[in-house]
Amino acid sequence: MNTKMHVDSYERNWMIFSAVMLVLFAAAVSVAAFGLGIQVPAPEQRVDPKTVATDPNSPWSNPGLREVSPGVYDAYILAHAIPNWEYLPKEITVPVGSKVTFYVTSADVQHGFKIQDTNANFMVLPGQVSKLTITFKEVRTHNFICTEYCGSGHGIMYGAVIVTP
Ligand code: CUA
């Protein structure tokens, strides 16, 4: 009895190709995560979008920058379309080298949050908090914009991170 399984060379080549692709994809994901520091923004916590801007216990009732230790900041950003399309605050200023963790949420509809020339680019959903940490290594201004269509004022929804010496 012949126990050797016959695999057509055409089929075998595709099996090898598939295995090689799996290794390449795993390598690409590892390089992106550990080499380039690309993070997947995970939902951080849930909030009530009806009270997130007004509840005195909510950090978004007083949005802005908090210094947690020298050079390390938390930035609470509120996106809203009512009464007008904007981020609160519209601008934050940090010294160069600062490590800033953004906590962004929406008080009404779905928005986006993309900071120019960084890997921050995520959805901002009412009821959820999106979190991402960025270290600002250059003295410059990074504009941020809304990347999800959120109504007639979508195009004027922007702000800036100003990095000072
Ligand atoms: Cu907010 Cu588009």
Side-chain angles (χ1 to χ4, degrees):
M1 193 174 100
N2 183 5
T3 52
K4 240 178 141 187
M5 190 170 68
H6 173 75
V7 179
D8 184 79
S9 65
Y10 188 70
E11 194 174 2
R12 190 184 55 236
N13 289 345
W14 277 111
M15 285 160 68
I16 293 167
F17 176 76
S18 305
V20 168
M21 290 306 281
L22 284 176
V23 171
L24 285 178
F25 290 148
V29 169
S30 303
V31 168
F34 303 111
L36 306 176
I38 292 174
Q39 312 161 54
V40 178
E44 167 69 12
Q45 64 176 101
R46 288 191 168 268
V47 291
D48 183 349
K50 290 191 197 78
T51 58
V52 73
T54 50
D55 180 353
N57 295 320
S58 156
W60 294 271
S61 65
N62 178 26
L65 209 57
R66 322 265 199 270
E67 187 167 21
V68 284
S69 62
V72 181
Y73 298 86
D74 284 343
Y76 290 90
I77 311 259
L78 182 74
H80 66 191
I82 299 163
N84 51 341
W85 282 263
E86 64 182 354
Y87 293 103
L88 295 175
K90 198 174 167 64
E91 266 180 20
I92 64 168
T93 303
V94 290
V96 69
S98 296
K99 191 174 167 189
V100 184
T101 301
F102 291 87
Y103 296 87
V104 191
T105 192
S106 167
D108 38 49
V109 298
Q110 177 179 321
H111 296 277
F113 188 73
K114 175 178 166 61
I115 308 176
Q116 177 191 25
D117 297 335
T118 68
N119 66 16
N121 183 2
F122 47 81
M123 289 167 92
V124 178
L125 299 170
Q128 289 206 5
V129 178
S130 302
K131 174 190 172 188
L132 199 73
T133 301
I134 305 281
T135 301
F136 293 96
K137 295 177 182 147
E138 245 186 285
V139 176
R140 58 164 287 180
T141 295
H142 294 266
N143 295 315
F144 55 78
I145 57 164
C146 183
T147 48
E148 299 278 335
Y149 183 73
C150 56
S152 62
H154 166 67
I156 56 160
M157 230 182 133
Y158 62 91
V161 179
I162 298 161
V163 186
T164 58

